[in-house]
């Protein structure tokens, strides 16, 4: 079942912050975040495994609430290079293991303007 | 390592023709995935391999689609009797079998298929 991302699109001025949410109706084993620029391949940002730990990647961090089956991606002090479409990919979990298959959301288009 | 390579980058074919795409994953990655992406959508899972074994195939995938990964290295995706609805970007990705913090999928640049 496809995870739901919100918002669908957001426009930021350089230096502003943004939060992108991803929720699933199924028990999650892990959540991945990817960024895709127009005409390019998705690029891996980070993975969050079960445990609710917040991971960081420069000014981009994420959290994973496994009780709520939700993940959020935090972009702080946005830069022009952050523009692109952000996808969460969710991996279902069962019997303590992952399904080894990512299901991606429809994406959140982020535009950073000067 | 040069990353994940896909060939061709673009393919235009007539409806009813067969097409085959190739993917060369990162050499130390033993998992290989095929995804399909249409405009405005996220990548949609098609199938994945661990080494040479095809472990899962999407139930949405028509019998016209077949994938192979002989010897656990490169993979091919064949679409038989193409239809206009098959037009999409076909993405290949690879990863380690056990993902830990910092590990994710590495995607290729994709093959854009246009069926006319």
């Amino acid at each position: 079942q496809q995870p739901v991302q919100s918002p669908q699109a957001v426009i930021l001025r350089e230096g502003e912050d943004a939060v992108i949410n991803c929720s699933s109706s199924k028990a999650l084993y892990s959540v991945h975040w990817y960024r895709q620029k127009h005409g390019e391949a998705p690029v891996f940002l980070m993975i969050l495994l079960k445990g609710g730990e917040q991971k960081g990647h420069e000014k981009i961090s994420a959290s994973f609430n496994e009780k709520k089956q939700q993940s959020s991606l935090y972009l702080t002090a946005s830069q022009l290079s952050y523009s692109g479409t952000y996808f969460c990919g969710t991996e279902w979990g069962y019997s303590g293991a992952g399904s080894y298959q990512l299901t991606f959301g429809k994406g959140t288009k982020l535009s950073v303007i000067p | 390592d040069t990353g994940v390579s896909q060939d061709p980058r673009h393919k235009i074919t007539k409806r009813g023709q067969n097409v085959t795409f190739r993917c060369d994953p990162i050499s130390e990655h033993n998992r290989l995935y095929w995804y399909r992406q249409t405009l405005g959508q996220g990548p949609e899972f098609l199938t994945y391999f661990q080494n040479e074994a095809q472990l899962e195939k999407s139930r949405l995938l028509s019998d016209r689609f077949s994938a192979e990964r002989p010897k656990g290295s490169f993979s091919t995706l064949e679409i038989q009797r193409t239809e206009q609805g098959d037009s999409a970007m076909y993405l290949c990705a690879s990863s380690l079998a056990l993902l830990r913090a910092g590990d994710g999928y590495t995607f290729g640049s994709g093959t854009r298929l246009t069926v006319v």
Side-chain angles (χ1 to χ4, degrees), chain B residues 11-70:
Chain B
K11 179 72 177 178
I12 299 174
T13 190
K14 290 185 177 179
R15 191 173 51 185
Q17 297 294 304
N18 299 345
V19 294
T20 300
F21 310 140
R22 178 183 169 118
C23 171
D24 287 88
I26 291 174
S27 54
E28 46 278 20
H29 287 179
N30 46 10
R31 288 238 173 103
L32 185 147
Y33 313 84
W34 284 100
Y35 282 82
R36 175 172 61 190
Q37 187 176 28
T38 53
L39 197 62
Q41 300 295 316
E44 175 192 18
F45 172 79
L46 296 179
T47 188
Y48 94 92
F49 293 82
Q50 177 151 324
N51 301 314
E52 65 274 12
Q54 186 174 18
L55 295 187
E56 194 158 346
K57 188 175 175 181
S58 170
R59 281 170 284 180
L60 302 174
L61 203 58
S62 158
D63 289 343
R64 296 183 295 105
F65 287 71
S66 62
E68 292 184 341
R69 193 183 181 195

Side-chain angles (χ1 to χ4, degrees), chain B residues 85-100:
Chain B
D86 296 333
S87 295
M89 176 72 84
Y90 289 83
L91 293 167
C92 175
S94 68
S95 77
L96 295 170
L98 183 62
L99 296 181
R100 299 152 298 185

